[in-house]
Amino acid sequence: MPLTDVPPTSLLHQRWPGLDLDRVPLGTSPSPVRRLEGLVDGVELWVKDESRYGDGAWAGNKVRKLEWIIPEAKRRGTGTLFTVGGIGTHWGLACALYGREHGLRTVLGLVDQPVDDHVRAQLARLEASGAQLHRYASVRQLRRAAPWLIVRNVRRGRLPWYLPAGGSNAVGSLGYVETALEIADQVRSGELPEPATVVTAIGSGGTAAGLALGFKLAGLRTRVFGAVVNDSFPLDAPVIARLATRTATLLAERGARDLPQVTPDDLETADDWLGSTYGDPTPASTAMVEKAAGLGLELEPVYTGKALAAIEDVRFPGPVLWLNTHGPR
Ligand SMILES: Cc1ncc(COP(=O)(O)O)c(C=O)c1O
């Protein structure tokens, strides 16, 4: 088949048909958008529902990143993904499940975190996922063990590919550049008005970085607001803008042209809804989860509840589009 007859596998490939990156679709695009009434007063609130995005045993925002990470791992010739997280990591589980479906092994370095019912259930899923698990009492201990884990998992002369927590490297962030282009298409076709603000939780930054780059690429004036829910490393606007720049650099290296520059002024982050630490439900996030349950939305208080608490507190310019990123099955 001549190249021009091959259907593009992404909106990014539609824009640059020669783009030298692969995407394996793991969910059904576009994820739906709809008006959300009765949750937050005094704002025109919309939701983009990422909670069903995924064709495997897991959905939500990790899947968008894996669509680009899985083929890139194959291109690099490695059969093993090595990544890290807490013992309740959603990211690690999605990596293990989708990686396994696509012939990749996953090695997980897990750090202890306070155990509640959710974390206990998540750990049981991780144990059943086929991933190789290594548990440590602290991040320091995991850091010390990481080189040994990498060397021990060399296969056929290939090192495992190290993916940072949350899959937030330049490759993973492409998933949310694609999502931003999807939102732009939905605006163009009249499914929703151009959002003035898109609100998401920030756990490792790839979602916000990809969105900020994607909106600029698409020529939307939409600004990203990220409610930071992780206090393990800095996730302010300059950090997110740097990740967006690394993502743009990767696109340029692989054949994309005329990429915009994302600067810290293009987005805003705040940790006012974090609570005492990462993973800690706050009264405000718990209240939003309960309110959402009354509307038939199943959320959790660590990411989505905190993003909604931000929308409740801040008078963002509307229309506001909230990303529902919570995706267990
Ligand atoms: C449900 C949910 N929402 C949002 C996020 C934030 O995404 P990111 O890690 O790309 O900042 C995460 C992951 O950290 C998540 O699990």
Side-chain angles (χ1 to χ4, degrees):
M1 205 179 339
L3 193 61
T4 46
D5 293 343
V6 178
T9 57
S10 74
L11 296 172
L12 282 166
H13 288 95
Q14 259 177 40
R15 190 169 182 127
W16 297 290
L19 189 66
D20 190 14
L21 278 158
D22 290 322
R23 168 176 176 262
V24 47
L26 300 175
T28 306
S29 309
S31 62
V33 287
R34 68 184 168 89
R35 182 78 200 267
L36 194 50
E37 295 193 79
L39 193 54
V40 181
D41 295 332
V43 63
E44 183 185 338
L45 181 61
W46 291 72
V47 57
K48 183 161 175 75
D49 188 3
E50 294 285 280
S51 72
R52 306 254 153 248
Y53 194 87
D55 59 11
W58 197 263
N61 81 329
K62 317 301 177 204
V63 182
R64 294 277 193 176
K65 298 174 181 179
L66 286 163
E67 290 188 327
W68 299 86
I69 285 173
I70 287 172
E72 180 67 14
K74 297 196 170 174
R75 174 188 173 123
R76 290 170 181 225
T78 183
T80 308
L81 305 175
F82 168 46
T83 192
V84 294
I87 53 174
T89 173
H90 292 176
W91 156 246
L93 183 62
C95 218
L97 296 174
Y98 286 95
R100 187 179 64 188
E101 264 175 41
H102 290 83
L104 297 171
R105 299 165 68 235
T106 297
V107 177
L108 293 175
L110 302 177
V111 178
D112 285 343
Q113 68 182 82
V115 177
D116 58 15
D117 286 350
H118 172 74
V119 171
R120 207 170 292 114
Q122 195 67 2
L123 190 54
R125 288 188 201 110
L126 284 167
E127 280 163 355
S129 71
Q132 195 187 105
L133 309 186
H134 301 270
R135 283 181 67 172
Y136 301 93
S138 67
V139 172
R140 223 166 121 214
Q141 285 185 15
L142 168 58
R143 282 216 186 104
R144 229 180 288 142
W148 171 81
L149 285 179
I150 289 176
V151 170
R152 204 182 121 169
N153 281 289
V154 170
R155 295 287 183 281
R156 296 198 196 95
R158 298 284 181 174
L159 292 171
W161 183 18
Y162 170 68
L163 302 166
S168 286
N169 58 11
V171 180
S173 301
L174 291 172
Y176 274 90
V177 180
E178 180 74 13
T179 308
L181 299 186
E182 202 175 289
I183 293 169
D185 270 4
Q186 289 171 313
V187 168
R188 232 168 273 127
S189 66
E191 281 180 66
L192 82 159
E194 180 173 341
T197 317
V198 166
V199 179
T200 181
I202 295 187
S204 61
T207 304
L211 288 174
L213 177 59
F215 290 140
K216 272 205 137 173
L217 259 180
L220 295 191
R221 284 157 302 175
T222 307
R223 276 175 67 81
V224 176
F225 181 92
V228 176
V229 302
N230 192 347
D231 56 347
S232 316
F233 38 87
L235 286 162
D236 54 16
V239 168
I240 304 295
R242 277 199 294 279
L243 178 54
T245 301
R246 289 203 300 279
T247 309
T249 303
L250 169 70
L251 281 166
E253 285 166 359
R254 301 293 179 89
R257 294 280 165 268
D258 304 323
L259 287 150
Q261 175 79 30
V262 173
T263 73
D265 290 341
D266 292 320
L267 67 141
E268 200 177 327
T269 76
D271 63 3
D272 304 26
W273 300 274
L274 165 71
S276 61
T277 187
Y278 173 63
D280 180 31
T282 62
S285 69
T286 307
M288 288 314 287
V289 170
E290 279 165 15
K291 200 167 174 193
L295 299 173
L297 281 173
E298 191 203 328
L299 304 179
E300 45 65 53
V302 172
Y303 297 95
T304 42
K306 289 179 184 177
L308 281 177
I311 297 174
E312 170 109 319
D313 280 355
V314 181
R315 292 276 136 188
F316 290 116
V320 173
L321 178 65
W322 162 63
L323 235 51
N324 181 2
T325 45
H326 180 54
R329 288 246 159 101

